[in-house]
């Protein structure tokens, strides 16, 4: 059995981040790299044109801090960037660290981890790239109910 490259493993928020997770920056669109400084910024999408894989949804990024990593003595992974895969920009929901700031304690939904070799030269280590579909408690529309869910469908109406 072979595991394909770029395989993302589902993981619960509590397993990945046992001491919660702090959102440090506002969530913004993930922007494609363009060497032309005058070009208009273009948002990235979850789609690989070479393989045809991906959801096709827009990507959003934010910087987060994992207090568990900082107390474990692994300061190099205490803060990192997380990618959200959602139709609309996720909005922080939960407990705000300090009123009037962009610091929030958040819980991620639809979390996946992708193993990745990080570091340079002789200081390489195994790290993870995290992606999520949203934030628990977010009601901005990032997580929409299906247009015709079966439980709320009238008895005489058939699924399409």
């Amino acid at each position: 059995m072979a595991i394909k490259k770029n395989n993302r493993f589902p993981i619960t928020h509590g397993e990945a981040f046992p001491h919660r997770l702090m959102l440090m920056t506002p969530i913004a669109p993930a922007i494609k790299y363009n060497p032309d400084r005058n070009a208009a910024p273009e948002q990235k999408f979850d789609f690989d044109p070479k393989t045809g894989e991906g959801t096709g949804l827009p990507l959003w990024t934010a910087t987060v801090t994992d207090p568990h990593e900082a107390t474990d003595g692994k300061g190099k992974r205490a803060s990192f960037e997380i990618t959200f895969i959602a139709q609309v920009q996720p909005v922080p929901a939960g407990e705000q660290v300090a009123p009037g700031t962009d610091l929030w304690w958040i819980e991620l939904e639809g979390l996946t981890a992708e193993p990745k070799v990080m570091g340079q030269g002789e200081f390489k280590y195994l790290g993870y790239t995290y992606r999520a579909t949203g934030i628990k408690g977010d009601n901005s529309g990032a997580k929409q109910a299906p247009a015709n869910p079966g439980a709320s469908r009238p008895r005489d109406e058939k699924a399409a």
Side-chain angles (χ1 to χ4, degrees):
M1 176 175 146
I3 297 175
K4 291 176 18 180
K5 184 179 179 182
N6 299 330
N7 191 7
R8 299 176 193 156
F9 297 94
I11 187 169
T12 65
H13 179 88
E15 289 174 318
F17 311 110
H19 293 171
R20 302 199 291 180
L21 193 66
M22 184 187 296
L23 181 67
M24 301 291 289
T25 62
I27 300 169
I31 304 297
K32 289 183 184 178
Y33 171 75
N34 191 337
D36 181 10
R37 292 182 185 183
N38 297 326
E42 188 178 343
Q43 186 170 11
K44 290 182 185 179
F45 287 85
D46 183 33
F47 182 74
D48 185 357
K50 293 178 184 175
T51 63
E53 295 177 353
T55 62
L57 294 173
L59 298 177
W60 311 87
T61 60
T63 302
V64 294
T65 294
D66 181 6
H68 182 256
E69 290 287 328
T71 59
D72 245 5
K74 300 175 187 170
K76 60 186 166 192
R77 286 291 295 171
S79 292
F80 55 94
E81 198 168 85
I82 190 151
T83 303
F84 293 94
I85 304 170
Q87 185 63 43
V88 296
Q89 181 176 355
V91 175
E95 180 185 343
Q96 196 169 15
V97 175
T101 67
D102 287 330
L103 303 175
W104 291 80
W105 290 110
I106 60 171
E107 186 174 338
L108 302 173
E109 292 183 332
L111 184 63
T112 60
E114 179 183 340
K116 184 177 178 182
V117 176
M118 298 181 162
Q120 295 180 3
E122 61 188 71
F123 303 105
K124 291 184 181 177
Y125 61 97
L126 178 63
Y128 295 93
T129 301
Y130 293 103
R131 292 178 180 235
T133 57
I135 299 173
K136 186 175 182 178
D138 176 14
N139 58 6
S140 65
K143 301 174 302 218
Q144 295 179 350
N148 192 2
S152 65
R153 185 179 308 122
R155 288 179 186 249
D156 57 340
E157 187 180 337
K158 303 234 180 199

